[in-house]
Amino acid sequence: MKFDITAYSRFIEIVAGIDVTDNLCKKEYYRIRNRVEAFIHDAKRYQIWKPALLDAYPDVDLLAEITALTRALRQYEQQRLTH
């Protein structure tokens, strides 16, 4: 079963620069996770990791959704490695 990230496709397109399609390869999932994690890191580093940050990004209502997205992507990567 594929991990469905379509609910965050616009956010991913903006932050990761990758169009979400039905046939993303492993490298694209990795790039998405890596770039979203870098986004989180930079936002915290520059002290803009606040709810107001989300005003600029569609598909996301809570900061916790972004961190949950990266966790889900990491789990998906691990599942794909073991199967």
Side-chain angles (χ1 to χ4, degrees):
M1 179 168 84
K2 284 193 171 190
F3 173 61
D4 183 16
I5 58 173
T6 57
Y8 300 101
S9 57
R10 188 69 185 124
F11 173 78
I12 290 168
E13 289 169 13
I14 293 168
V15 172
I18 296 172
D19 292 331
V20 176
T21 64
D22 290 339
N23 57 349
L24 291 173
C25 67
K26 287 188 256 186
K27 287 181 181 180
E28 290 170 314
Y29 277 100
Y30 171 79
R31 282 189 202 116
I32 290 168
R33 181 189 51 78
N34 190 287
R35 291 175 184 172
V36 173
E37 285 178 344
F39 169 81
I40 293 169
H41 173 77
D42 289 347
K44 289 180 177 181
R45 179 177 177 206
Y46 294 110
Q47 300 176 346
I48 58 172
W49 186 249
K50 299 174 184 173
L53 174 66
L54 301 178
D55 293 343
Y57 301 98
D59 303 337
V60 181
D61 296 320
L62 302 168
L63 294 172
E65 285 181 86
I66 300 171
T67 55
L69 175 63
T70 59
R71 277 193 310 273
L73 286 165
R74 190 173 290 277
Q75 288 174 351
Y76 180 71
E77 287 176 53
Q78 292 301 316
Q79 288 175 354
R80 287 190 67 154
L81 289 174
T82 59
H83 295 319

